[in-house]
Amino acid sequence: MNQSPFHSAVLLISCPDRQGLVAAVTAFIARHNGNILHLDQHVDAAENVFFMRVEWELGGFTLDAAAIAPAFEQVAAPFAMTWELHFSDQIPRMVVFVSKEAHCLYDILYRWQSGEWRVNIPAIVSNHPDLGDLVGKFGIPYHVISVNKEDKREAEAAQLALLEQLQPDFVVLARYMQILSETFVANFANRIINIHHSFLPAFVGAKPYHRAHGRGVKIIGASSHYVTAELDAGPIIEQDVVRVNHRDSVDDLIRKGKDVEKLVLSRAIRYHLNHQVLVYNNKTVILG
Amino acid sequence: MNQSPFHSAVLLISCPDRQGLVAAVTAFIARHNGNILHLDQHVDAAENVFFMRVEWELGGFTLDAAAIAPAFEQVAAPFAMTWELHFSDQIPRMVVFVSKEAHCLYDILYRWQSGEWRVNIPAIVSNHPDLGDLVGKFGIPYHVISVNKEDKREAEAAQLALLEQLQPDFVVLARYMQILSETFVANFANRIINIHHSFLPAFVGAKPYHRAHGRGVKIIGASSHYVTAELDAGPIIEQDVVRVNHRDSVDDLIRKGKDVEKLVLSRAIRYHLNHQVLVYNNKTVILG
Amino acid sequence: MNQSPFHSAVLLISCPDRQGLVAAVTAFIARHNGNILHLDQHVDAAENVFFMRVEWELGGFTLDAAAIAPAFEQVAAPFAMTWELHFSDQIPRMVVFVSKEAHCLYDILYRWQSGEWRVNIPAIVSNHPDLGDLVGKFGIPYHVISVNKEDKREAEAAQLALLEQLQPDFVVLARYMQILSETFVANFANRIINIHHSFLPAFVGAKPYHRAHGRGVKIIGASSHYVTAELDAGPIIEQDVVRVNHRDSVDDLIRKGKDVEKLVLSRAIRYHLNHQVLVYNNKTVILG
Amino acid sequence: MNQSPFHSAVLLISCPDRQGLVAAVTAFIARHNGNILHLDQHVDAAENVFFMRVEWELGGFTLDAAAIAPAFEQVAAPFAMTWELHFSDQIPRMVVFVSKEAHCLYDILYRWQSGEWRVNIPAIVSNHPDLGDLVGKFGIPYHVISVNKEDKREAEAAQLALLEQLQPDFVVLARYMQILSETFVANFANRIINIHHSFLPAFVGAKPYHRAHGRGVKIIGASSHYVTAELDAGPIIEQDVVRVNHRDSVDDLIRKGKDVEKLVLSRAIRYHLNHQVLVYNNKTVILG
């Protein structure tokens, strides 16, 4: 699904499953002359939860953008729907955290500068100065907030103050090699996207490629997930893998893994940018 | 999507795209107390065509099975919908054509006998006696209708007479190595599923693995498609691939290819059995 | 690599790495007029271990089969080589253990009966009678040795007595759902091939698909490994994966997983049959 | 296989197959105290051709770099070997041609700047000014040589003059959208690497994604190959694929395809940089 060329609205909905949900939502859109571009729904039968994403064209829609939310609340309330409304002309703001590795950052910079993604990057934050030169080439502010064992709390306070200023819609950890505190994470629930360099839940934590090599696996992977308080345990958004063999040293695994990491992270960012992701029970539903 | 444990109905719909289509169909289901199990829709914006598959539980539905079609026609007519209605308690009848190769047949027999598929196999037809022994073990009638260059027409007449008797819902060519005539195909439009042992549209026709080897490709594939009058040119239902390298001889390609062929064919059969496939413009839309 | 049409010999070698190893082995073969069909070697630089597989044609070789081992020992001794010698005209004997699930068994039966594998299957052993009917169709003896919590030791004794009689070269656990004791395993070091229905090391032990579903992974896998005393922790021979999504229930994961399990197990068996596998440090080196 | 940290030499050899080839080459290396780091060989039994790549450490080797070639010629001549000798301390020179699309270029720049590849890029050449700004950021000379239908010959002359000056070891067409003349190609036999945005041999020539979309394929791919006089028909070095479905428009195919194109091109470049590729019969043998 490419981003729509139209001016469009997206509703993301979840609620207890019952009869008439799709009918109620689509009748609302039809009543105001909306033309549906994409509709995807899912019922988790085991949990009795209903999920839906619907995107419709706003040209010709008989409600003003500002009037949609209050009007839709009339539809949503009787079904106890949880919902979000997004508009395609609101360009999301994404702050990227990096450490020293550049592969994910190059990938992100390309997709941003080529217009593949409609996103604003108000700043890139790092605990090291190393990538400042690269970021500078692209005219994006680069903030170094160094993090040491002793001053982790202060560093996080500085980061949070900066984010308070930048007001990002979400944060991307593009191989940012520090663990964020529970407090930090609580500020951005389901709004921090991390890339972990293993096929989760295998090899949670440090040095996953070394451990994958030690175990003699024949395939390695990468996993993008929303960050939660528990390390590498948040809802998985996307994963992919690449084959390795006995000839591959740890350095080969690291090299091959980078190509998977950047693809997996970029796909997860795309889903998030397109408002395709719903989280429940520490899992994601990705609607098209 | 697994086959539903419920007694359910499936509607497969296509029509020119316009406002209110999903609303109209889902309102019909809600009005009669239907609980939607799966709903998937697609709009081909370039062609302005709307596609939809909806499956709902029949327990509690206020219309009898027999009354659904006439009632739905009232909904469908104003939108000029083309539609099919299927019920989960109608077990489809599938006739399988084979020649000498057994790999796809074993795969099909397993899925049938283990209950992975709900399907009846009234007969297996071949132009060779070779697989009769295997088929006999499973208690399925095996019909040998030999095909020579001189008597192709008569052989097809015998096949059609047999099918007339067997009344299959669809036919599967599980590495049946004969080309069917335009007349034969016309009798079963979008109801003959073939597996071609190449990644179409590369290597249409005979000896695709030999030609893939000659070209030095690094990946081979298999393609399942509905049979049309033009050889290997029908709507593709499913494809998959496997990596090869310079060490692989033509025999290795054939061996590795078999594993892809059987998977691709079985996935295509499953989509067909679940009424997930819509055909237009010589392409398929697979709805979930 | 397909099994050679020639009468050939295979040497599998490992030893500390040093200069002149390939030269010594290939000079031995050349000296006796051997024509090399396949040669593959690997040096684990970190561990300083050398691995080699070489297969050569025996037609025209100036040493009798019986004379090769003593002659080669002269070459091997100065380098402290550990080595195995195999001949293509020795058809390996493989005993298969199953429980109730038939998908891997069908796959094995096809490859055996079609001649894809050169292997003898003197018996199939199960803790349940369910698959006896299927096995009987193929004329292979089927032994039921039931296993209960109380009589595990006796059951194993019966299994070992049977294997003592059958003298298999190796044993395949084709979704055999019992854990073998350390004693049992010790009898067949690197000669019991298991298929575990997860992407190891994730989801060791019971109900891996349920746990994968609970974790919300986007890809599931299967792993074939040699059985060791520690559960699901033996040297991995082969792994593969398949993509899943939020629409897939646990039953869908089980169904999709079966297709991966049978492919992964069959590839592992093939490597073993072709004498391509060397084990060290609880890992495998697969030589071509 | 990662690039060796040692100062090493690589021999790439092909010749008619016969007894004693590996023995002769490895004896030569052992005789001069060479320690083999990697050895891979392949026999094309159908064509009776032998291929070999061997890399050995030069520390302790008793021949000077300059003396190796004449000494090895003594070994090679009796077997009519065709061979190349490379040294790890010779950093190859790679000139990159681009048009307007930047995705492959970003990928190449990352691998070059991060040191993943040991390569020099003396210049980037384009028929358009568009990417000059990006290339300038990285301090690489950017040469615009515009190409029109009328002046193709002159443009090529200018390109050849530039290459004459730059003396590259090989040329990469990183989505350079012009067809090179037979004369141009003849100057760089097996030294021009192209990326074609289809799964060859399907969709040779222009607009492959549009044609893939029209055919309704379920998987698209990209192919990297050495350029020959015939369009998109040169020896394939690497291919890969990505799954698409009916929801993907032509623009989605283009977007998804870019991620495959850059990976496939970069893997092909890596093989070439590591001297792993041998060409024969318009195919490649990639040795490890």
Side-chain angles (χ1 to χ4, degrees):
Chain A
M1 190 180 59
N2 256 339
Q3 286 163 321
S4 168
F6 304 105
H7 181 26
S8 64
V10 170
L11 269 171
L12 269 180
I13 300 165
S14 62
C15 63
D17 189 35
R18 45 171 286 196
Q19 288 175 16
L21 288 162
V22 181
V25 176
T26 56
F28 167 79
I29 295 170
R31 201 154 61 230
H32 298 288
N33 272 343
N35 198 37
I36 291 174
L37 297 166
H38 299 285
L39 182 154
D40 196 5
Q41 62 98 52
H42 170 59
V43 176
D44 186 320
E47 307 270 343
N48 200 48
V49 188
F50 170 85
F51 304 90
M52 183 170 172
R53 180 191 190 275
V54 58
E55 180 171 357
W56 71 96
E57 212 179 322
L58 287 178
F61 200 60
T62 57
L63 287 177
D64 281 353
I68 295 176
F72 185 69
E73 183 52 33
Q74 304 302 106
V75 178
F79 296 100
M81 290 177 183
T82 303
W83 56 277
E84 304 169 25
L85 177 66
H86 301 278
F87 296 102
S88 63
D89 60 353
Q90 297 165 334
I91 311 290
R93 293 167 66 81
M94 169 175 91
V95 167
V96 181
F97 278 52
V98 295
S99 286
K100 291 177 168 180
E101 287 288 356
H103 53 290
C104 289
L105 182 57
Y106 268 82
D107 204 62
I108 288 169
L109 290 171
Y110 163 70
R111 293 176 207 267
W112 162 72
Q113 202 177 55
S114 69
E116 183 181 310
W117 290 342
R118 287 198 303 210
V119 68
N120 290 321
I121 306 181
I124 290 173
V125 180
S126 181
N127 54 334
H128 293 287
D130 306 51
L131 299 178
D133 194 38
L134 172 66
V135 170
K137 292 186 207 299
F138 290 86
I140 301 173
Y142 186 78
H143 301 268
V144 179
I145 300 175
S146 62
V147 182
N148 304 307
K149 276 189 189 159
E150 307 76 42
D151 62 4
K152 271 202 113 166
R153 201 166 295 196
E154 289 161 57
E156 279 212 350
Q159 290 168 345
L160 284 170
L162 178 61
L163 292 175
E164 181 61 32
Q165 241 183 287
L166 296 170
Q167 287 292 316
D169 291 289
F170 66 108
V171 171
V172 169
L173 308 184
R175 295 299 309 275
Y176 178 67
M177 304 303 284
Q178 295 289 325
I179 298 173
L180 302 177
S181 75
E182 210 168 322
T183 319
F184 191 107
V185 171
N187 279 276
F188 296 91
N190 297 331
R191 295 197 294 141
I192 306 176
I193 300 174
N194 185 40
I195 178 73
H196 183 68
H197 41 314
S198 87
F199 186 75
L200 290 175
F203 309 122
V204 163
K207 296 207 173 279
Y209 291 128
H210 290 77
R211 289 185 284 149
H213 189 264
R215 179 62 187 92
V217 298
K218 299 301 185 183
I219 289 174
I220 56 169
S223 309
S224 191
H225 62 96
Y226 288 118
V227 177
T228 56
E230 192 183 340
L231 183 63
D232 298 330
I236 295 169
I237 308 168
E238 173 66 345
Q239 299 186 291
D240 214 336
V241 297
V242 66
R243 196 165 273 276
V244 297
N245 63 42
H246 61 265
R247 283 190 174 78
D248 291 307
S249 64
V250 172
D251 283 348
D252 290 305
L253 264 53
I254 291 170
R255 173 178 52 80
K256 289 184 167 186
K258 282 178 182 172
D259 285 344
V260 184
E261 291 163 31
K262 63 193 184 191
L263 276 181
V264 166
L265 178 58
S266 286
R267 285 194 215 126
I269 293 173
R270 178 179 186 83
Y271 289 139
H272 189 92
L273 282 173
N274 285 354
H275 312 297
Q276 297 184 254
V277 191
L278 276 161
V279 174
Y280 85 116
N281 276 1
N282 204 42
K283 300 198 243 183
T284 62
V285 170
I286 315 278
L287 297 173
Chain B
M1 190 178 61
N2 257 342
Q3 287 163 321
S4 169
F6 304 106
H7 181 25
S8 64
V10 170
L11 269 171
L12 270 180
I13 300 165
S14 63
C15 63
D17 188 36
R18 42 171 287 193
Q19 288 176 14
L21 288 162
V22 181
V25 175
T26 56
F28 167 79
I29 294 170
R31 201 154 60 229
H32 299 288
N33 272 344
N35 198 36
I36 291 175
L37 297 165
H38 299 284
L39 182 153
D40 196 7
Q41 62 99 52
H42 170 60
V43 176
D44 185 323
E47 307 271 342
N48 201 48
V49 189
F50 170 85
F51 305 91
M52 183 170 173
R53 181 190 188 276
V54 60
E55 181 172 357
W56 70 99
E57 214 180 320
L58 287 178
F61 200 60
T62 58
L63 286 177
D64 281 353
I68 296 175
F72 185 70
E73 183 53 34
Q74 303 303 105
V75 178
F79 294 102
M81 290 177 182
T82 303
W83 56 277
E84 303 169 27
L85 176 66
H86 301 280
F87 296 102
S88 64
D89 60 354
Q90 298 165 336
I91 311 289
R93 293 167 65 80
M94 168 175 92
V95 167
V96 180
F97 278 52
V98 296
S99 287
K100 292 176 169 180
E101 287 287 358
H103 54 290
C104 289
L105 182 57
Y106 269 82
D107 203 62
I108 287 169
L109 289 171
Y110 163 69
R111 292 176 206 269
W112 163 72
Q113 203 179 52
S114 68
E116 182 180 310
W117 291 342
R118 288 197 302 210
V119 69
N120 291 320
I121 307 182
I124 291 174
V125 181
S126 180
N127 53 334
H128 293 288
D130 308 51
L131 299 179
D133 195 38
L134 172 67
V135 171
K137 292 187 209 298
F138 290 86
I140 302 173
Y142 186 78
H143 300 269
V144 178
I145 299 176
S146 64
V147 181
N148 304 306
K149 275 190 189 159
E150 307 77 41
D151 62 5
K152 273 203 108 166
R153 203 167 294 195
E154 288 162 58
E156 280 212 349
Q159 290 167 345
L160 284 170
L162 179 61
L163 292 175
E164 180 60 31
Q165 244 183 284
L166 297 169
Q167 288 292 318
D169 290 291
F170 66 108
V171 172
V172 169
L173 309 184
R175 293 301 309 273
Y176 178 67
M177 305 303 284
Q178 295 290 326
I179 298 172
L180 302 176
S181 75
E182 209 168 323
T183 317
F184 191 108
V185 171
N187 278 276
F188 296 91
N190 297 332
R191 295 196 294 142
I192 306 176
I193 299 175
N194 185 41
I195 178 71
H196 183 68
H197 40 315
S198 86
F199 187 77
L200 289 175
F203 309 123
V204 163
K207 295 206 171 281
Y209 292 128
H210 289 77
R211 289 186 283 148
H213 189 263
R215 180 61 187 91
V217 296
K218 300 299 186 186
I219 289 173
I220 57 170
S223 308
S224 191
H225 63 95
Y226 289 119
V227 177
T228 56
E230 192 183 339
L231 184 64
D232 298 331
I236 295 169
I237 307 168
E238 174 65 346
Q239 300 185 290
D240 214 337
V241 297
V242 65
R243 196 164 275 274
V244 296
N245 65 41
H246 60 267
R247 284 190 174 77
D248 291 307
S249 64
V250 172
D251 283 348
D252 290 306
L253 265 52
I254 290 171
R255 173 176 53 79
K256 289 185 167 183
K258 282 178 182 172
D259 285 344
V260 184
E261 291 164 31
K262 63 192 185 192
L263 276 182
V264 166
L265 178 58
S266 286
R267 284 193 216 129
I269 292 173
R270 178 180 186 83
Y271 288 140
H272 190 91
L273 282 172
N274 284 354
H275 313 297
Q276 296 184 256
V277 191
L278 277 161
V279 174
Y280 84 114
N281 276 1
N282 203 45
K283 301 197 244 182
T284 62
V285 170
I286 315 277
L287 296 173
Chain C
M1 188 179 61
N2 256 342
Q3 286 162 322
S4 168
F6 304 106
H7 181 26
S8 63
V10 170
L11 270 170
L12 268 180
I13 301 164
S14 62
C15 64
D17 189 35
R18 46 170 286 195
Q19 286 175 18
L21 288 162
V22 181
V25 176
T26 56
F28 167 78
I29 295 171
R31 200 153 63 230
H32 300 288
N33 271 345
N35 198 35
I36 291 174
L37 296 167
H38 298 284
L39 183 153
D40 195 7
Q41 62 98 53
H42 170 60
V43 177
D44 185 322
E47 307 271 343
N48 200 47
V49 188
F50 170 85
F51 305 91
M52 182 169 172
R53 180 191 188 275
V54 61
E55 179 171 359
W56 72 98
E57 215 179 322
L58 287 177
F61 200 60
T62 58
L63 287 176
D64 281 353
I68 296 176
F72 185 70
E73 183 52 34
Q74 303 302 105
V75 179
F79 295 101
M81 290 179 184
T82 303
W83 56 277
E84 305 169 26
L85 177 66
H86 301 279
F87 296 103
S88 63
D89 60 354
Q90 298 164 334
I91 312 289
R93 292 167 66 79
M94 168 175 91
V95 168
V96 181
F97 278 51
V98 296
S99 286
K100 293 177 168 180
E101 286 287 357
H103 55 289
C104 289
L105 182 57
Y106 268 82
D107 203 62
I108 287 169
L109 289 171
Y110 163 70
R111 293 177 205 269
W112 163 71
Q113 203 179 54
S114 69
E116 182 180 310
W117 291 343
R118 286 197 302 210
V119 69
N120 291 321
I121 306 180
I124 290 173
V125 180
S126 182
N127 53 335
H128 293 288
D130 308 51
L131 300 179
D133 193 39
L134 172 67
V135 170
K137 293 185 207 298
F138 290 86
I140 301 173
Y142 185 78
H143 301 269
V144 179
I145 299 175
S146 63
V147 182
N148 304 306
K149 275 188 190 162
E150 307 76 42
D151 63 4
K152 273 204 109 165
R153 203 167 293 197
E154 291 161 57
E156 280 211 350
Q159 290 167 345
L160 284 170
L162 179 62
L163 292 175
E164 181 59 34
Q165 242 183 283
L166 296 169
Q167 288 292 316
D169 291 289
F170 65 107
V171 172
V172 169
L173 309 184
R175 293 301 309 275
Y176 178 66
M177 304 303 284
Q178 294 290 326
I179 298 173
L180 302 176
S181 76
E182 210 168 322
T183 319
F184 190 108
V185 171
N187 279 275
F188 296 92
N190 297 333
R191 295 197 294 142
I192 306 175
I193 300 174
N194 185 41
I195 179 72
H196 182 68
H197 41 315
S198 86
F199 186 76
L200 289 174
F203 309 122
V204 163
K207 295 207 171 284
Y209 292 128
H210 289 76
R211 288 186 285 149
H213 189 263
R215 180 63 185 92
V217 298
K218 299 301 186 184
I219 288 173
I220 57 170
S223 308
S224 191
H225 62 96
Y226 288 119
V227 176
T228 57
E230 192 183 339
L231 182 64
D232 299 330
I236 295 169
I237 308 168
E238 173 65 346
Q239 300 185 289
D240 214 336
V241 297
V242 65
R243 195 164 273 276
V244 296
N245 64 42
H246 61 266
R247 283 191 174 76
D248 291 308
S249 64
V250 172
D251 284 348
D252 290 305
L253 264 53
I254 290 171
R255 173 177 54 79
K256 289 186 167 184
K258 283 178 181 171
D259 285 344
V260 184
E261 291 165 29
K262 63 192 186 192
L263 276 181
V264 166
L265 178 59
S266 286
R267 285 192 215 129
I269 293 173
R270 179 180 186 84
Y271 289 139
H272 190 91
L273 283 172
N274 284 355
H275 313 296
Q276 296 184 255
V277 191
L278 278 161
V279 173
Y280 85 114
N281 275 2
N282 204 43
K283 300 197 244 182
T284 63
V285 169
I286 315 277
L287 296 173
Chain D
M1 190 178 63
N2 256 343
Q3 286 165 321
S4 168
F6 304 105
H7 181 25
S8 63
V10 170
L11 268 171
L12 268 180
I13 301 166
S14 62
C15 63
D17 189 35
R18 46 169 287 194
Q19 287 175 16
L21 288 162
V22 181
V25 175
T26 56
F28 167 79
I29 295 170
R31 200 153 62 231
H32 299 288
N33 272 345
N35 198 35
I36 292 175
L37 297 166
H38 299 284
L39 181 152
D40 195 7
Q41 62 99 51
H42 170 60
V43 177
D44 185 323
E47 307 270 342
N48 201 46
V49 188
F50 170 86
F51 305 90
M52 182 170 172
R53 180 189 188 276
V54 59
E55 180 170 357
W56 72 97
E57 215 181 320
L58 287 178
F61 200 60
T62 58
L63 286 177
D64 280 354
I68 296 175
F72 184 70
E73 183 52 33
Q74 304 302 105
V75 178
F79 295 101
M81 289 177 182
T82 304
W83 56 277
E84 305 169 26
L85 177 66
H86 301 278
F87 296 102
S88 64
D89 61 352
Q90 298 163 335
I91 311 290
R93 293 167 65 80
M94 168 175 90
V95 167
V96 181
F97 278 52
V98 295
S99 286
K100 292 176 169 182
E101 287 287 357
H103 54 290
C104 289
L105 182 57
Y106 268 83
D107 203 62
I108 288 169
L109 289 171
Y110 164 70
R111 293 176 206 269
W112 163 72
Q113 203 178 53
S114 67
E116 181 181 310
W117 290 342
R118 286 198 302 211
V119 68
N120 291 321
I121 307 180
I124 290 173
V125 180
S126 180
N127 54 335
H128 293 288
D130 307 50
L131 299 178
D133 193 40
L134 172 67
V135 170
K137 292 187 208 298
F138 289 86
I140 302 173
Y142 186 78
H143 300 268
V144 179
I145 300 176
S146 62
V147 181
N148 305 306
K149 277 192 189 158
E150 308 77 42
D151 63 5
K152 272 203 111 165
R153 201 167 296 196
E154 289 162 58
E156 279 211 350
Q159 290 167 345
L160 285 169
L162 179 61
L163 292 175
E164 181 59 34
Q165 241 185 286
L166 297 169
Q167 287 292 317
D169 292 289
F170 66 108
V171 172
V172 169
L173 309 184
R175 295 299 310 275
Y176 178 66
M177 304 303 285
Q178 295 289 326
I179 299 172
L180 302 177
S181 76
E182 210 169 322
T183 319
F184 190 107
V185 171
N187 278 275
F188 295 91
N190 298 332
R191 296 197 292 141
I192 307 176
I193 299 175
N194 186 40
I195 179 71
H196 183 67
H197 41 314
S198 86
F199 187 75
L200 289 175
F203 309 121
V204 162
K207 295 205 171 284
Y209 291 127
H210 289 76
R211 288 186 284 148
H213 188 264
R215 180 62 186 91
V217 298
K218 299 299 186 185
I219 289 174
I220 57 170
S223 308
S224 190
H225 63 95
Y226 288 119
V227 177
T228 57
E230 192 182 339
L231 182 64
D232 299 329
I236 295 169
I237 308 168
E238 173 65 343
Q239 299 186 289
D240 213 335
V241 297
V242 67
R243 196 163 272 275
V244 296
N245 64 41
H246 61 265
R247 282 190 175 76
D248 291 309
S249 64
V250 172
D251 284 348
D252 291 305
L253 265 53
I254 291 171
R255 173 177 54 79
K256 289 185 166 184
K258 282 177 182 172
D259 284 344
V260 184
E261 292 165 30
K262 63 192 185 192
L263 276 181
V264 166
L265 178 58
S266 287
R267 285 193 215 130
I269 292 172
R270 179 178 185 85
Y271 289 139
H272 190 92
L273 282 173
N274 284 355
H275 313 296
Q276 297 184 254
V277 192
L278 277 161
V279 173
Y280 85 114
N281 275 4
N282 203 44
K283 299 198 246 183
T284 62
V285 170
I286 314 279
L287 297 172

